[in-house]
PDB file of all heavy atoms in Angstrom:
ATOM      1  N   ASP K   6       0.793  -1.195  -0.018  1.00  0.00           N
ATOM      2  CA  ASP K   6       0.001  -0.010   0.015  1.00  0.00           C
ATOM      3  C   ASP K   6       0.853   1.259   0.007  1.00  0.00           C
ATOM      4  O   ASP K   6       0.580   2.254  -0.719  1.00  0.00           O
ATOM      5  CB  ASP K   6      -0.936   0.030   1.208  1.00  0.00           C
ATOM      6  CG  ASP K   6      -2.129  -0.937   1.061  1.00  0.00           C
ATOM      7  OD1 ASP K   6      -2.425  -1.298  -0.084  1.00  0.00           O
ATOM      8  OD2 ASP K   6      -2.714  -1.332   2.088  1.00  0.00           O
ATOM      9  N   GLU K   7       1.959   1.221   0.771  1.00  0.00           N
ATOM     10  CA  GLU K   7       2.867   2.394   0.734  1.00  0.00           C
ATOM     11  C   GLU K   7       3.496   2.597  -0.611  1.00  0.00           C
ATOM     12  O   GLU K   7       3.626   3.737  -1.061  1.00  0.00           O
ATOM     13  CB  GLU K   7       3.914   2.179   1.814  1.00  0.00           C
ATOM     14  CG  GLU K   7       3.440   2.337   3.267  1.00  0.00           C
ATOM     15  CD  GLU K   7       4.478   1.910   4.324  1.00  0.00           C
ATOM     16  OE1 GLU K   7       5.336   1.040   3.921  1.00  0.00           O
ATOM     17  OE2 GLU K   7       4.469   2.443   5.414  1.00  0.00           O
ATOM     18  N   PHE K   8       3.836   1.522  -1.246  1.00  0.00           N
ATOM     19  CA  PHE K   8       4.494   1.615  -2.567  1.00  0.00           C
ATOM     20  C   PHE K   8       3.501   2.201  -3.552  1.00  0.00           C
ATOM     21  O   PHE K   8       3.765   3.109  -4.356  1.00  0.00           O
ATOM     22  CB  PHE K   8       5.008   0.313  -3.007  1.00  0.00           C
ATOM     23  CG  PHE K   8       5.882   0.367  -4.222  1.00  0.00           C
ATOM     24  CD1 PHE K   8       7.252   0.526  -4.119  1.00  0.00           C
ATOM     25  CD2 PHE K   8       5.350   0.291  -5.493  1.00  0.00           C
ATOM     26  CE1 PHE K   8       8.069   0.586  -5.228  1.00  0.00           C
ATOM     27  CE2 PHE K   8       6.147   0.335  -6.625  1.00  0.00           C
ATOM     28  CZ  PHE K   8       7.526   0.459  -6.500  1.00  0.00           C
ATOM     29  N   ARG K   9       2.235   1.669  -3.596  1.00  0.00           N
ATOM     30  CA  ARG K   9       1.208   2.163  -4.481  1.00  0.00           C
ATOM     31  C   ARG K   9       0.920   3.626  -4.294  1.00  0.00           C
ATOM     32  O   ARG K   9       0.581   4.371  -5.226  1.00  0.00           O
ATOM     33  CB  ARG K   9      -0.053   1.340  -4.325  1.00  0.00           C
ATOM     34  CG  ARG K   9       0.013  -0.041  -4.961  1.00  0.00           C
ATOM     35  CD  ARG K   9      -1.312  -0.795  -4.916  1.00  0.00           C
ATOM     36  NE  ARG K   9      -1.632  -1.334  -3.599  1.00  0.00           N
ATOM     37  CZ  ARG K   9      -1.354  -2.609  -3.239  1.00  0.00           C
ATOM     38  NH1 ARG K   9      -0.780  -3.467  -4.031  1.00  0.00           N
ATOM     39  NH2 ARG K   9      -1.700  -2.998  -2.029  1.00  0.00           N
ATOM     40  N   ALA K  10       1.103   4.113  -3.024  1.00  0.00           N
ATOM     41  CA  ALA K  10       0.791   5.503  -2.669  1.00  0.00           C
ATOM     42  C   ALA K  10       1.919   6.460  -3.088  1.00  0.00           C
ATOM     43  O   ALA K  10       1.744   7.694  -2.954  1.00  0.00           O
ATOM     44  CB  ALA K  10       0.564   5.644  -1.220  1.00  0.00           C
ATOM     45  N   LEU K  11       3.026   5.914  -3.648  1.00  0.00           N
ATOM     46  CA  LEU K  11       4.122   6.814  -4.069  1.00  0.00           C
ATOM     47  C   LEU K  11       3.665   7.765  -5.193  1.00  0.00           C
ATOM     48  O   LEU K  11       4.295   8.829  -5.366  1.00  0.00           O
ATOM     49  CB  LEU K  11       5.358   5.992  -4.493  1.00  0.00           C
ATOM     50  CG  LEU K  11       6.052   5.244  -3.368  1.00  0.00           C
ATOM     51  CD1 LEU K  11       7.171   4.356  -3.945  1.00  0.00           C
ATOM     52  CD2 LEU K  11       6.632   6.182  -2.336  1.00  0.00           C
ATOM     53  N   GLY K  12       2.717   7.301  -5.982  1.00  0.00           N
ATOM     54  CA  GLY K  12       2.072   8.260  -6.906  1.00  0.00           C
ATOM     55  C   GLY K  12       2.740   8.488  -8.243  1.00  0.00           C
ATOM     56  O   GLY K  12       2.240   9.260  -9.072  1.00  0.00           O
ATOM     57  N   PHE K  13       3.836   7.781  -8.512  1.00  0.00           N
ATOM     58  CA  PHE K  13       4.416   7.950  -9.900  1.00  0.00           C
ATOM     59  C   PHE K  13       3.552   7.251 -10.898  1.00  0.00           C
ATOM     60  O   PHE K  13       2.760   6.372 -10.550  1.00  0.00           O
ATOM     61  CB  PHE K  13       5.886   7.423  -9.928  1.00  0.00           C
ATOM     62  CG  PHE K  13       6.026   5.943  -9.609  1.00  0.00           C
ATOM     63  CD1 PHE K  13       5.871   4.968 -10.579  1.00  0.00           C
ATOM     64  CD2 PHE K  13       6.320   5.542  -8.303  1.00  0.00           C
ATOM     65  CE1 PHE K  13       6.029   3.693 -10.284  1.00  0.00           C
ATOM     66  CE2 PHE K  13       6.483   4.183  -7.988  1.00  0.00           C
ATOM     67  CZ  PHE K  13       6.308   3.272  -8.958  1.00  0.00           C
ATOM     68  N   PRO K  14       3.650   7.614 -12.176  1.00  0.00           N
ATOM     69  CA  PRO K  14       2.827   6.934 -13.175  1.00  0.00           C
ATOM     70  C   PRO K  14       2.997   5.440 -13.193  1.00  0.00           C
ATOM     71  O   PRO K  14       4.145   4.927 -13.282  1.00  0.00           O
ATOM     72  CB  PRO K  14       3.265   7.573 -14.537  1.00  0.00           C
ATOM     73  CG  PRO K  14       3.866   8.880 -14.136  1.00  0.00           C
ATOM     74  CD  PRO K  14       4.495   8.667 -12.764  1.00  0.00           C
ATOM     75  N   GLY K  15       1.947   4.681 -12.947  1.00  0.00           N
ATOM     76  CA  GLY K  15       2.013   3.262 -12.926  1.00  0.00           C
ATOM     77  C   GLY K  15       2.382   2.691 -11.575  1.00  0.00           C
ATOM     78  O   GLY K  15       2.663   1.489 -11.420  1.00  0.00           O
ATOM     79  N   ALA K  16       2.296   3.523 -10.516  1.00  0.00           N
ATOM     80  CA  ALA K  16       2.656   3.050  -9.191  1.00  0.00           C
ATOM     81  C   ALA K  16       1.748   1.945  -8.667  1.00  0.00           C
ATOM     82  O   ALA K  16       2.203   1.011  -7.999  1.00  0.00           O
ATOM     83  CB  ALA K  16       2.655   4.202  -8.176  1.00  0.00           C
ATOM     84  N   ASP K  17       0.411   2.045  -8.988  1.00  0.00           N
ATOM     85  CA  ASP K  17      -0.471   0.993  -8.587  1.00  0.00           C
ATOM     86  C   ASP K  17      -0.198  -0.330  -9.316  1.00  0.00           C
ATOM     87  O   ASP K  17      -0.196  -1.398  -8.701  1.00  0.00           O
ATOM     88  CB  ASP K  17      -1.957   1.438  -8.717  1.00  0.00           C
ATOM     89  CG  ASP K  17      -2.255   1.971 -10.175  1.00  0.00           C
ATOM     90  OD1 ASP K  17      -1.333   2.031 -10.952  1.00  0.00           O
ATOM     91  OD2 ASP K  17      -3.428   2.282 -10.404  1.00  0.00           O
ATOM     92  N   GLU K  18       0.054  -0.206 -10.618  1.00  0.00           N
ATOM     93  CA  GLU K  18       0.422  -1.364 -11.422  1.00  0.00           C
ATOM     94  C   GLU K  18       1.709  -2.043 -10.884  1.00  0.00           C
ATOM     95  O   GLU K  18       1.751  -3.258 -10.635  1.00  0.00           O
ATOM     96  CB  GLU K  18       0.608  -0.971 -12.866  1.00  0.00           C
ATOM     97  CG  GLU K  18       1.193  -2.041 -13.761  1.00  0.00           C
ATOM     98  CD  GLU K  18       0.142  -2.882 -14.447  1.00  0.00           C
ATOM     99  OE1 GLU K  18      -1.042  -2.485 -14.362  1.00  0.00           O
ATOM    100  OE2 GLU K  18       0.459  -3.943 -14.970  1.00  0.00           O
ATOM    101  N   ALA K  19       2.745  -1.222 -10.685  1.00  0.00           N
ATOM    102  CA  ALA K  19       4.037  -1.771 -10.179  1.00  0.00           C
ATOM    103  C   ALA K  19       3.903  -2.333  -8.751  1.00  0.00           C
ATOM    104  O   ALA K  19       4.443  -3.368  -8.449  1.00  0.00           O
ATOM    105  CB  ALA K  19       5.108  -0.673 -10.243  1.00  0.00           C
ATOM    106  N   GLY K  20       3.119  -1.635  -7.913  1.00  0.00           N
ATOM    107  CA  GLY K  20       2.905  -2.105  -6.550  1.00  0.00           C
ATOM    108  C   GLY K  20       2.246  -3.450  -6.564  1.00  0.00           C
ATOM    109  O   GLY K  20       2.639  -4.358  -5.791  1.00  0.00           O
ATOM    110  N   ASN K  21       1.239  -3.648  -7.414  1.00  0.00           N
ATOM    111  CA  ASN K  21       0.569  -4.952  -7.481  1.00  0.00           C
ATOM    112  C   ASN K  21       1.512  -6.013  -8.057  1.00  0.00           C
ATOM    113  O   ASN K  21       1.457  -7.158  -7.588  1.00  0.00           O
ATOM    114  CB  ASN K  21      -0.685  -4.809  -8.362  1.00  0.00           C
ATOM    115  CG  ASN K  21      -1.830  -4.195  -7.678  1.00  0.00           C
ATOM    116  OD1 ASN K  21      -1.735  -3.610  -6.597  1.00  0.00           O
ATOM    117  ND2 ASN K  21      -3.032  -4.294  -8.278  1.00  0.00           N
ATOM    118  N   MET K  22       2.360  -5.615  -9.036  1.00  0.00           N
ATOM    119  CA  MET K  22       3.265  -6.595  -9.552  1.00  0.00           C
ATOM    120  C   MET K  22       4.242  -7.082  -8.484  1.00  0.00           C
ATOM    121  O   MET K  22       4.428  -8.316  -8.343  1.00  0.00           O
ATOM    122  CB  MET K  22       4.052  -5.941 -10.723  1.00  0.00           C
ATOM    123  CG  MET K  22       5.154  -6.791 -11.286  1.00  0.00           C
ATOM    124  SD  MET K  22       6.173  -5.946 -12.583  1.00  0.00           S
ATOM    125  CE  MET K  22       7.110  -4.798 -11.559  1.00  0.00           C
ATOM    126  N   PHE K  23       4.872  -6.174  -7.775  1.00  0.00           N
ATOM    127  CA  PHE K  23       5.808  -6.610  -6.758  1.00  0.00           C
ATOM    128  C   PHE K  23       5.133  -7.359  -5.632  1.00  0.00           C
ATOM    129  O   PHE K  23       5.744  -8.310  -5.058  1.00  0.00           O
ATOM    130  CB  PHE K  23       6.566  -5.432  -6.203  1.00  0.00           C
ATOM    131  CG  PHE K  23       7.519  -4.779  -7.189  1.00  0.00           C
ATOM    132  CD1 PHE K  23       7.423  -3.457  -7.561  1.00  0.00           C
ATOM    133  CD2 PHE K  23       8.569  -5.550  -7.741  1.00  0.00           C
ATOM    134  CE1 PHE K  23       8.301  -2.911  -8.517  1.00  0.00           C
ATOM    135  CE2 PHE K  23       9.465  -5.002  -8.695  1.00  0.00           C
ATOM    136  CZ  PHE K  23       9.332  -3.674  -9.034  1.00  0.00           C
ATOM    137  N   GLN K  24       3.895  -7.022  -5.304  1.00  0.00           N
ATOM    138  CA  GLN K  24       3.146  -7.784  -4.294  1.00  0.00           C
ATOM    139  C   GLN K  24       2.933  -9.200  -4.804  1.00  0.00           C
ATOM    140  O   GLN K  24       3.014 -10.181  -4.048  1.00  0.00           O
ATOM    141  CB  GLN K  24       1.878  -7.123  -3.922  1.00  0.00           C
ATOM    142  CG  GLN K  24       1.077  -7.867  -2.811  1.00  0.00           C
ATOM    143  CD  GLN K  24      -0.167  -7.093  -2.377  1.00  0.00           C
ATOM    144  OE1 GLN K  24      -0.459  -6.016  -2.870  1.00  0.00           O
ATOM    145  NE2 GLN K  24      -0.863  -7.734  -1.423  1.00  0.00           N
ATOM    146  N   TYR K  25       2.604  -9.325  -6.112  1.00  0.00           N
ATOM    147  CA  TYR K  25       2.408 -10.667  -6.653  1.00  0.00           C
ATOM    148  C   TYR K  25       3.743 -11.434  -6.579  1.00  0.00           C
ATOM    149  O   TYR K  25       3.692 -12.594  -6.230  1.00  0.00           O
ATOM    150  CB  TYR K  25       1.964 -10.517  -8.067  1.00  0.00           C
ATOM    151  CG  TYR K  25       2.028 -11.805  -8.913  1.00  0.00           C
ATOM    152  CD1 TYR K  25       1.180 -12.845  -8.581  1.00  0.00           C
ATOM    153  CD2 TYR K  25       2.932 -11.962  -9.928  1.00  0.00           C
ATOM    154  CE1 TYR K  25       1.215 -14.071  -9.300  1.00  0.00           C
ATOM    155  CE2 TYR K  25       3.017 -13.168 -10.625  1.00  0.00           C
ATOM    156  CZ  TYR K  25       2.158 -14.195 -10.325  1.00  0.00           C
ATOM    157  OH  TYR K  25       2.230 -15.379 -11.030  1.00  0.00           O
ATOM    158  N   TYR K  26       4.846 -10.812  -6.987  1.00  0.00           N
ATOM    159  CA  TYR K  26       6.136 -11.510  -6.901  1.00  0.00           C
ATOM    160  C   TYR K  26       6.336 -12.061  -5.471  1.00  0.00           C
ATOM    161  O   TYR K  26       6.866 -13.192  -5.267  1.00  0.00           O
ATOM    162  CB  TYR K  26       7.273 -10.568  -7.216  1.00  0.00           C
ATOM    163  CG  TYR K  26       7.490 -10.243  -8.674  1.00  0.00           C
ATOM    164  CD1 TYR K  26       7.923  -8.995  -9.073  1.00  0.00           C
ATOM    165  CD2 TYR K  26       7.299 -11.161  -9.672  1.00  0.00           C
ATOM    166  CE1 TYR K  26       8.214  -8.676 -10.372  1.00  0.00           C
ATOM    167  CE2 TYR K  26       7.538 -10.913 -10.997  1.00  0.00           C
ATOM    168  CZ  TYR K  26       7.973  -9.620 -11.354  1.00  0.00           C
ATOM    169  OH  TYR K  26       8.258  -9.341 -12.666  1.00  0.00           O
ATOM    170  N   ALA K  27       6.011 -11.223  -4.454  1.00  0.00           N
ATOM    171  CA  ALA K  27       6.265 -11.608  -3.062  1.00  0.00           C
ATOM    172  C   ALA K  27       5.242 -12.630  -2.588  1.00  0.00           C
ATOM    173  O   ALA K  27       5.628 -13.655  -2.026  1.00  0.00           O
ATOM    174  CB  ALA K  27       6.286 -10.389  -2.190  1.00  0.00           C
ATOM    175  N   ASP K  28       3.985 -12.305  -2.732  1.00  0.00           N
ATOM    176  CA  ASP K  28       2.953 -13.204  -2.157  1.00  0.00           C
ATOM    177  C   ASP K  28       2.863 -14.554  -2.893  1.00  0.00           C
ATOM    178  O   ASP K  28       2.412 -15.525  -2.252  1.00  0.00           O
ATOM    179  CB  ASP K  28       1.585 -12.500  -2.196  1.00  0.00           C
ATOM    180  CG  ASP K  28       1.467 -11.346  -1.271  1.00  0.00           C
ATOM    181  OD1 ASP K  28       2.471 -11.030  -0.592  1.00  0.00           O
ATOM    182  OD2 ASP K  28       0.406 -10.714  -1.231  1.00  0.00           O
ATOM    183  N   CYS K  29       3.250 -14.601  -4.123  1.00  0.00           N
ATOM    184  CA  CYS K  29       3.244 -15.816  -4.864  1.00  0.00           C
ATOM    185  C   CYS K  29       4.640 -16.299  -5.288  1.00  0.00           C
ATOM    186  O   CYS K  29       4.868 -16.875  -6.296  1.00  0.00           O
ATOM    187  CB  CYS K  29       2.397 -15.646  -6.131  1.00  0.00           C
ATOM    188  SG  CYS K  29       0.701 -15.045  -5.829  1.00  0.00           S
ATOM    189  N   GLU K  30       5.590 -16.040  -4.372  1.00  0.00           N
ATOM    190  CA  GLU K  30       7.002 -16.211  -4.623  1.00  0.00           C
ATOM    191  C   GLU K  30       7.273 -17.711  -5.027  1.00  0.00           C
ATOM    192  O   GLU K  30       7.974 -17.981  -6.004  1.00  0.00           O
ATOM    193  CB  GLU K  30       7.853 -15.857  -3.440  1.00  0.00           C
ATOM    194  CG  GLU K  30       9.375 -16.199  -3.589  1.00  0.00           C
ATOM    195  CD  GLU K  30      10.141 -16.035  -2.277  1.00  0.00           C
ATOM    196  OE1 GLU K  30       9.487 -15.798  -1.245  1.00  0.00           O
ATOM    197  OE2 GLU K  30      11.338 -16.243  -2.299  1.00  0.00           O
ATOM    198  N   GLN K  31       6.806 -18.664  -4.225  1.00  0.00           N
ATOM    199  CA  GLN K  31       7.172 -20.065  -4.479  1.00  0.00           C
ATOM    200  C   GLN K  31       6.618 -20.500  -5.830  1.00  0.00           C
ATOM    201  O   GLN K  31       7.313 -21.195  -6.596  1.00  0.00           O
ATOM    202  CB  GLN K  31       6.580 -20.927  -3.362  1.00  0.00           C
ATOM    203  CG  GLN K  31       6.987 -22.374  -3.472  1.00  0.00           C
ATOM    204  CD  GLN K  31       8.518 -22.594  -3.477  1.00  0.00           C
ATOM    205  OE1 GLN K  31       9.271 -21.932  -2.751  1.00  0.00           O
ATOM    206  NE2 GLN K  31       8.989 -23.542  -4.288  1.00  0.00           N
ATOM    207  N   ARG K  32       5.395 -20.146  -6.090  1.00  0.00           N
ATOM    208  CA  ARG K  32       4.754 -20.494  -7.369  1.00  0.00           C
ATOM    209  C   ARG K  32       5.503 -19.917  -8.576  1.00  0.00           C
ATOM    210  O   ARG K  32       5.792 -20.595  -9.557  1.00  0.00           O
ATOM    211  CB  ARG K  32       3.313 -19.973  -7.334  1.00  0.00           C
ATOM    212  CG  ARG K  32       2.465 -20.301  -8.548  1.00  0.00           C
ATOM    213  CD  ARG K  32       1.113 -19.594  -8.488  1.00  0.00           C
ATOM    214  NE  ARG K  32       0.234 -19.988  -9.527  1.00  0.00           N
ATOM    215  CZ  ARG K  32      -0.962 -20.545  -9.359  1.00  0.00           C
ATOM    216  NH1 ARG K  32      -1.347 -20.844  -8.080  1.00  0.00           N
ATOM    217  NH2 ARG K  32      -1.723 -20.888 -10.331  1.00  0.00           N
ATOM    218  N   PHE K  33       5.932 -18.599  -8.431  1.00  0.00           N
ATOM    219  CA  PHE K  33       6.565 -17.947  -9.582  1.00  0.00           C
ATOM    220  C   PHE K  33       7.955 -18.447  -9.778  1.00  0.00           C
ATOM    221  O   PHE K  33       8.406 -18.704 -10.879  1.00  0.00           O
ATOM    222  CB  PHE K  33       6.588 -16.410  -9.308  1.00  0.00           C
ATOM    223  CG  PHE K  33       6.973 -15.581 -10.451  1.00  0.00           C
ATOM    224  CD1 PHE K  33       6.036 -15.246 -11.445  1.00  0.00           C
ATOM    225  CD2 PHE K  33       8.232 -15.125 -10.612  1.00  0.00           C
ATOM    226  CE1 PHE K  33       6.390 -14.468 -12.560  1.00  0.00           C
ATOM    227  CE2 PHE K  33       8.611 -14.338 -11.676  1.00  0.00           C
ATOM    228  CZ  PHE K  33       7.632 -14.014 -12.643  1.00  0.00           C
ATOM    229  N   THR K  34       8.740 -18.602  -8.690  1.00  0.00           N
ATOM    230  CA  THR K  34      10.121 -19.036  -8.875  1.00  0.00           C
ATOM    231  C   THR K  34      10.202 -20.515  -9.251  1.00  0.00           C
ATOM    232  O   THR K  34      11.080 -20.911 -10.050  1.00  0.00           O
ATOM    233  CB  THR K  34      10.920 -18.791  -7.553  1.00  0.00           C
ATOM    234  OG1 THR K  34      10.326 -19.495  -6.435  1.00  0.00           O
ATOM    235  CG2 THR K  34      11.032 -17.336  -7.240  1.00  0.00           C
ATOM    236  N   SER K  35       9.263 -21.336  -8.761  1.00  0.00           N
ATOM    237  CA  SER K  35       9.311 -22.714  -9.115  1.00  0.00           C
ATOM    238  C   SER K  35       9.060 -22.948 -10.607  1.00  0.00           C
ATOM    239  O   SER K  35       9.536 -23.905 -11.174  1.00  0.00           O
ATOM    240  CB  SER K  35       8.259 -23.507  -8.296  1.00  0.00           C
ATOM    241  OG  SER K  35       8.542 -23.504  -6.928  1.00  0.00           O
ATOM    242  N   ALA K  36       8.298 -22.055 -11.235  1.00  0.00           N
ATOM    243  CA  ALA K  36       8.045 -22.169 -12.632  1.00  0.00           C
ATOM    244  C   ALA K  36       9.281 -21.844 -13.491  1.00  0.00           C
ATOM    245  O   ALA K  36       9.355 -22.194 -14.674  1.00  0.00           O
ATOM    246  CB  ALA K  36       6.900 -21.239 -13.043  1.00  0.00           C
ATOM    247  N   ARG K  37      10.246 -21.207 -12.840  1.00  0.00           N
ATOM    248  CA  ARG K  37      11.489 -20.796 -13.498  1.00  0.00           C
ATOM    249  C   ARG K  37      12.667 -21.605 -12.911  1.00  0.00           C
ATOM    250  O   ARG K  37      13.447 -21.084 -12.121  1.00  0.00           O
ATOM    251  CB  ARG K  37      11.719 -19.254 -13.365  1.00  0.00           C
ATOM    252  CG  ARG K  37      10.698 -18.497 -14.204  1.00  0.00           C
ATOM    253  CD  ARG K  37      10.418 -17.105 -13.681  1.00  0.00           C
ATOM    254  NE  ARG K  37       9.575 -16.384 -14.608  1.00  0.00           N
ATOM    255  CZ  ARG K  37       8.283 -16.550 -14.688  1.00  0.00           C
ATOM    256  NH1 ARG K  37       7.656 -17.334 -13.855  1.00  0.00           N
ATOM    257  NH2 ARG K  37       7.538 -15.814 -15.558  1.00  0.00           N
ATOM    258  N   ASP K  38      12.762 -22.833 -13.406  1.00  0.00           N
ATOM    259  CA  ASP K  38      13.841 -23.728 -12.930  1.00  0.00           C
ATOM    260  C   ASP K  38      15.129 -23.237 -13.591  1.00  0.00           C
ATOM    261  O   ASP K  38      15.303 -23.314 -14.805  1.00  0.00           O
ATOM    262  CB  ASP K  38      13.507 -25.145 -13.372  1.00  0.00           C
ATOM    263  CG  ASP K  38      14.503 -26.199 -12.922  1.00  0.00           C
ATOM    264  OD1 ASP K  38      15.706 -25.965 -13.081  1.00  0.00           O
ATOM    265  OD2 ASP K  38      14.040 -27.252 -12.397  1.00  0.00           O
ATOM    266  N   LEU K  39      16.047 -22.778 -12.769  1.00  0.00           N
ATOM    267  CA  LEU K  39      17.296 -22.150 -13.291  1.00  0.00           C
ATOM    268  C   LEU K  39      18.149 -23.201 -14.040  1.00  0.00           C
ATOM    269  O   LEU K  39      18.814 -22.818 -14.999  1.00  0.00           O
ATOM    270  CB  LEU K  39      18.069 -21.493 -12.172  1.00  0.00           C
ATOM    271  CG  LEU K  39      17.305 -20.418 -11.396  1.00  0.00           C
ATOM    272  CD1 LEU K  39      18.192 -19.734 -10.366  1.00  0.00           C
ATOM    273  CD2 LEU K  39      16.730 -19.354 -12.311  1.00  0.00           C
ATOM    274  N   ASP K  40      18.139 -24.429 -13.638  1.00  0.00           N
ATOM    275  CA  ASP K  40      18.930 -25.473 -14.349  1.00  0.00           C
ATOM    276  C   ASP K  40      18.279 -25.723 -15.697  1.00  0.00           C
ATOM    277  O   ASP K  40      18.994 -25.882 -16.694  1.00  0.00           O
ATOM    278  CB  ASP K  40      19.026 -26.698 -13.523  1.00  0.00           C
ATOM    279  CG  ASP K  40      19.857 -26.563 -12.270  1.00  0.00           C
ATOM    280  OD1 ASP K  40      20.776 -25.741 -12.283  1.00  0.00           O
ATOM    281  OD2 ASP K  40      19.577 -27.251 -11.281  1.00  0.00           O
ATOM    282  N   ALA K  41      16.983 -25.785 -15.711  1.00  0.00           N
ATOM    283  CA  ALA K  41      16.241 -26.071 -16.975  1.00  0.00           C
ATOM    284  C   ALA K  41      16.469 -24.988 -17.988  1.00  0.00           C
ATOM    285  O   ALA K  41      16.638 -25.260 -19.166  1.00  0.00           O
ATOM    286  CB  ALA K  41      14.771 -26.308 -16.704  1.00  0.00           C
ATOM    287  N   VAL K  42      16.395 -23.702 -17.575  1.00  0.00           N
ATOM    288  CA  VAL K  42      16.548 -22.622 -18.526  1.00  0.00           C
ATOM    289  C   VAL K  42      17.960 -22.582 -19.109  1.00  0.00           C
ATOM    290  O   VAL K  42      18.188 -22.220 -20.247  1.00  0.00           O
ATOM    291  CB  VAL K  42      16.184 -21.247 -17.937  1.00  0.00           C
ATOM    292  CG1 VAL K  42      14.723 -21.224 -17.512  1.00  0.00           C
ATOM    293  CG2 VAL K  42      17.073 -20.842 -16.770  1.00  0.00           C
ATOM    294  N   ARG K  43      18.937 -23.064 -18.288  1.00  0.00           N
ATOM    295  CA  ARG K  43      20.333 -23.062 -18.755  1.00  0.00           C
ATOM    296  C   ARG K  43      20.528 -24.241 -19.723  1.00  0.00           C
ATOM    297  O   ARG K  43      21.528 -24.238 -20.429  1.00  0.00           O
ATOM    298  CB  ARG K  43      21.288 -23.037 -17.622  1.00  0.00           C
ATOM    299  CG  ARG K  43      21.432 -21.677 -16.988  1.00  0.00           C
ATOM    300  CD  ARG K  43      22.262 -21.612 -15.755  1.00  0.00           C
ATOM    301  NE  ARG K  43      22.483 -20.196 -15.367  1.00  0.00           N
ATOM    302  CZ  ARG K  43      21.619 -19.426 -14.709  1.00  0.00           C
ATOM    303  NH1 ARG K  43      20.415 -19.951 -14.374  1.00  0.00           N
ATOM    304  NH2 ARG K  43      21.908 -18.173 -14.461  1.00  0.00           N
ATOM    305  N   GLU K  44      19.635 -25.196 -19.795  1.00  0.00           N
ATOM    306  CA  GLU K  44      19.764 -26.206 -20.833  1.00  0.00           C
ATOM    307  C   GLU K  44      19.411 -25.581 -22.228  1.00  0.00           C
ATOM    308  O   GLU K  44      19.949 -25.971 -23.275  1.00  0.00           O
ATOM    309  CB  GLU K  44      18.785 -27.327 -20.554  1.00  0.00           C
ATOM    310  CG  GLU K  44      19.229 -28.208 -19.389  1.00  0.00           C
ATOM    311  CD  GLU K  44      18.246 -29.298 -19.079  1.00  0.00           C
ATOM    312  OE1 GLU K  44      17.319 -29.527 -19.892  1.00  0.00           O
ATOM    313  OE2 GLU K  44      18.403 -29.963 -18.068  1.00  0.00           O
ATOM    314  N   LEU K  45      18.531 -24.571 -22.232  1.00  0.00           N
ATOM    315  CA  LEU K  45      18.243 -23.834 -23.444  1.00  0.00           C
ATOM    316  C   LEU K  45      19.309 -22.838 -23.761  1.00  0.00           C
ATOM    317  O   LEU K  45      19.706 -22.633 -24.945  1.00  0.00           O
ATOM    318  CB  LEU K  45      16.837 -23.144 -23.325  1.00  0.00           C
ATOM    319  CG  LEU K  45      15.612 -23.894 -23.715  1.00  0.00           C
ATOM    320  CD1 LEU K  45      14.365 -23.080 -23.341  1.00  0.00           C
ATOM    321  CD2 LEU K  45      15.603 -24.282 -25.161  1.00  0.00           C
ATOM    322  N   ASN K  46      19.751 -22.104 -22.755  1.00  0.00           N
ATOM    323  CA  ASN K  46      20.689 -20.989 -22.912  1.00  0.00           C
ATOM    324  C   ASN K  46      21.779 -21.182 -21.833  1.00  0.00           C
ATOM    325  O   ASN K  46      21.612 -20.595 -20.744  1.00  0.00           O
ATOM    326  CB  ASN K  46      20.039 -19.648 -22.834  1.00  0.00           C
ATOM    327  CG  ASN K  46      20.991 -18.467 -22.856  1.00  0.00           C
ATOM    328  OD1 ASN K  46      22.117 -18.635 -23.228  1.00  0.00           O
ATOM    329  ND2 ASN K  46      20.488 -17.290 -22.499  1.00  0.00           N
ATOM    330  N   PRO K  47      22.862 -21.897 -22.119  1.00  0.00           N
ATOM    331  CA  PRO K  47      23.880 -22.098 -21.071  1.00  0.00           C
ATOM    332  C   PRO K  47      24.538 -20.848 -20.574  1.00  0.00           C
ATOM    333  O   PRO K  47      25.153 -20.858 -19.500  1.00  0.00           O
ATOM    334  CB  PRO K  47      24.910 -22.967 -21.817  1.00  0.00           C
ATOM    335  CG  PRO K  47      24.162 -23.600 -22.939  1.00  0.00           C
ATOM    336  CD  PRO K  47      23.142 -22.583 -23.352  1.00  0.00           C
TER     337      PRO K  47
END
């Protein structure tokens, strides 16, 4: 809420994005297996 209240253009969008990264951290990071992505791009 404090971040969204900073008031720069897109603050509410960015605040929601970072809250999603934090509140859904395990789900988001688990989808990005760092070993698997390096099989595509070492």
Side-chain angles (χ1 to χ4, degrees):
D6 284 340
E7 289 171 331
F8 191 91
R9 285 186 282 265
L11 292 174
F13 61 86
D17 51 358
E18 170 90 15
N21 282 13
M22 175 184 72
F23 290 122
Q24 184 176 358
Y25 168 69
Y26 283 145
D28 290 2
C29 304
E30 175 190 5
Q31 185 58 38
R32 181 186 188 121
F33 192 82
T34 58
S35 294
R37 288 155 175 80
D38 183 313
L39 301 183
D40 291 331
V42 298
R43 282 173 171 82
E44 291 179 8
L45 272 174
N46 173 15

